Amino acid sequence: MKKEDHANTMFYQNLGKLFYAIACVDGIIEVDEINTLKTMVEEEWSINEDALTILDSFNWLHMDQDYDSNTCFNSFLNFLNMNKSLFTENRKTLILKTANAIASSFSNRNKSELIILARLDMELKKI
């Protein structure tokens, strides 16, 4: 596997972690949140074949249930800070759009979701 291919795979795996962190920040992952993520990946991220890795990563975390929101979010932030060049303006916009869609998909956004979304927004603006 070429270095560029590996970086892209890691990018999408870490997006799966991020979106899992957002969905489970309030302690419960709702079916609406999963369906919203699937729709966003199919409609917005599908330009790249590796985008399905987002769903694979999310589903693995959801099935495993050994990782909490904070662990996954911090793991994403570590990846972000080590791979800033992968986060183009278009990708950052799409990340925020997807994150907001997930958080809003079930009973709108609650306090814990608003906090994690604000943290994400601040971190992405640093790049």
Side-chain angles (χ1 to χ4, degrees):
M1 178 181 283
K2 292 187 285 184
K3 186 176 180 179
E4 183 180 303
D5 291 340
H6 180 69
N8 269 333
T9 300
M10 294 298 296
F11 173 77
Y12 290 109
Q13 284 176 344
N14 277 278
L15 286 180
K17 288 179 189 177
L18 170 65
F19 299 143
Y20 177 79
I22 291 165
C24 75
V25 71
D26 55 6
I28 299 170
I29 297 179
E30 300 290 347
V31 173
D32 291 347
E33 293 170 319
I34 296 169
N35 290 337
T36 296
L37 175 61
K38 287 178 183 175
T39 299
M40 290 297 293
V41 168
E42 290 168 2
E43 293 178 3
E44 303 283 343
W45 290 95
S46 64
I47 0 176
N48 188 316
E49 293 174 11
D50 291 336
L52 292 178
T53 303
I54 296 169
L55 295 175
D56 292 341
S57 180
F58 182 98
N59 288 334
W60 183 85
L61 289 163
H62 185 51
M63 298 284 285
D64 190 48
Q65 295 186 350
D66 280 342
Y67 300 92
D68 64 12
S69 176
N70 197 44
T71 301
C72 291
F73 188 74
N74 288 332
S75 179
F76 170 78
L77 292 182
N78 288 336
F79 180 80
L80 169 72
N81 289 318
M82 300 287 286
N83 298 279
K84 292 178 181 179
S85 65
L86 294 175
F87 291 84
T88 63
E89 288 303 315
N90 287 342
R91 281 181 165 178
K92 290 190 294 185
T93 299
L94 193 49
I95 290 168
L96 288 171
K97 181 178 181 181
T98 304
N100 277 291
I102 292 167
S104 298
S105 65
F106 183 81
S107 297
N108 223 336
R109 289 173 257 173
N110 61 37
K111 184 178 178 181
S112 54
E113 290 168 333
L114 289 171
I115 291 169
I116 199 169
L117 291 171
R119 287 182 60 202
L120 174 62
D121 187 49
M122 288 187 320
E123 293 296 329
L124 289 173
K125 285 181 178 174
K126 289 180 183 178
I127 309 177

